[in-house]
Amino acid sequence: MSEILTIRLNCDPQEPIPWLVWSASQQEVIASGEADSLSQLTDYAVDRDVVALADSAAVLLTTVTIPSGSARQLESVLPFLLEDDVAQDVDQVHVTLLSKTAEQAQVAVVEKVMMQRWLDELSEAGLVIRRLIPDCLCLPLNEDAYSAAQLNNRWLVRSGETSGGSAETLWLPVWLRSLHDQGDNDEPMKAVLSYSELPEDAADNWRCEPTELVMLLLSKGAMQSRYNLLVGRYKPQNQLYKHLKPWRSVAIAAGLLVSVLGAEKVAAIYQMEAQ
């Protein structure tokens, strides 16, 4: 499909839901706006692919060290490697492996309650998605600078290939400083490329990029992204199987009936031959 509906799933259910329809063939925005509920977007999804963005306020992007000898069982071991990084019991979080090296794994962590709430709301609205991507990872990737954009009164920041998050405007300078302190403190702070209007107290290292719709920027980034939180228990079912599943018991019963009738027919033929 050449047209894509991109929806941002919010952490706060009271916030408006940003959305945008983008035509890849025409290279233009068909429609965009904010919805009060996902059911308002059902008609926009007809004959279009639907991509969902996960609110980074509900996603923890972090790195864990891979214990020696556990590479083969990495995905089953990952939740237990996060016990010091998450406040909840590891059984209550969904972990997605984004990338890995020989020694480290980059992961995304979301509460299962949040994942289920999003999927239930999508299902109730008749919206089918096959990709769910952390919204901050849909911002442009810049090696020598952070990417930032404002959405729903919070700032999204992408600080690396698989790192980033969101912060309220008040806490943004503190967070950027903490990102700098995690690296080489002898280096000057990285530049911040803002795809929204600069905050009033923006430091000298902020630079404003040509402003466009933030949802358009994220939609284009989502189309190029290889990340997807819908793995494991949340992996989408094949749609054909999903439609055929309710008829499975009927098919089994029909098969048994055909077998019984076939056996009776064979028995009748033998009986006739015997006579």
Side-chain angles (χ1 to χ4, degrees):
M1 299 181 186
S2 61
E3 295 184 358
I4 297 174
L5 169 61
T6 305
I7 303 170
R8 198 291 194 95
L9 303 177
N10 298 324
C11 178
D12 183 353
Q14 303 303 318
E15 288 185 349
I17 303 168
W19 62 273
L20 179 138
V21 177
W22 166 254
S23 172
S25 59
Q26 301 177 26
Q27 290 291 296
E28 67 177 6
V29 176
I30 304 299
S32 67
E34 293 182 338
D36 294 326
S37 66
L38 289 174
S39 60
Q40 296 177 352
L41 303 177
T42 303
D43 291 343
Y44 289 100
V46 176
D47 295 329
R48 292 186 174 114
D49 284 331
V50 182
V51 176
L53 308 181
D55 187 344
S56 289
V59 183
L60 170 65
L61 300 174
T62 188
T63 300
V64 295
T65 301
I66 302 174
S68 177
S70 63
R72 292 185 179 180
Q73 298 83 26
L74 181 59
E75 293 195 15
S76 60
V77 171
L78 275 178
F80 302 99
L81 301 179
L82 292 162
E83 288 181 320
D84 295 333
D85 297 319
V86 297
Q88 307 90 334
D89 190 297
V90 292
D91 292 332
Q92 298 176 355
V93 296
H94 169 61
V95 183
T96 302
L97 176 64
L98 301 177
S99 64
K100 66 176 181 177
T101 62
E103 298 178 349
Q104 292 185 321
Q106 291 72 41
V107 299
V109 185
V110 187
E111 289 187 21
K112 291 179 179 178
V113 171
M114 183 66 69
M115 287 288 293
Q116 199 58 54
R117 194 200 91 195
W118 284 337
L119 295 178
D120 288 345
E121 291 176 354
L122 287 164
S123 178
E124 290 172 4
L127 299 171
V128 178
I129 65 168
R130 302 192 67 80
R131 301 181 68 205
L132 176 60
I133 310 166
D135 55 10
C136 67
L137 297 186
C138 295
L139 289 171
L141 177 63
N142 297 287
E143 291 186 4
D144 300 323
Y146 301 136
S147 294
Q150 193 173 28
L151 186 66
N152 278 11
N153 299 317
R154 286 197 301 274
W155 281 89
L156 305 179
V157 175
R158 185 173 189 178
S159 55
E161 176 69 46
T162 58
S163 58
S166 74
E168 295 180 2
T169 304
L170 179 65
W171 293 103
L172 186 59
V174 177
W175 182 33
L176 293 175
R177 169 58 64 178
S178 70
L179 291 176
H180 173 70
D181 292 343
Q182 292 171 15
D184 188 348
N185 294 335
D186 294 332
E187 294 289 330
M189 286 192 67
K190 281 188 176 182
V192 181
L193 303 184
S194 175
Y195 297 89
S196 301
E197 292 185 9
L198 297 180
E200 294 182 358
D201 57 348
D204 294 337
N205 63 322
W206 280 70
R207 299 203 302 269
C208 188
E209 291 294 301
T211 305
E212 59 179 318
L213 288 171
V214 172
M215 279 302 295
L216 175 57
L217 183 72
L218 298 178
S219 181
K220 289 180 177 179
M223 286 188 285
Q224 300 173 357
S225 177
R226 60 187 176 87
Y227 305 119
N228 190 0
L229 301 181
L230 299 181
V231 297
R233 62 184 293 182
Y234 300 107
K235 187 174 181 179
Q237 287 185 348
N238 182 288
Q239 291 303 300
L240 178 60
Y241 174 77
K242 183 177 180 179
H243 290 303
L244 292 178
K245 188 175 181 180
W247 296 95
R248 183 179 178 185
S249 58
V250 177
I252 293 174
L256 291 174
L257 179 59
V258 170
S259 299
V260 171
L261 293 177
E264 291 180 351
K265 187 68 174 178
V266 171
I269 292 173
Y270 278 123
Q271 188 176 8
M272 289 176 64
E273 288 181 349
Q275 290 175 353

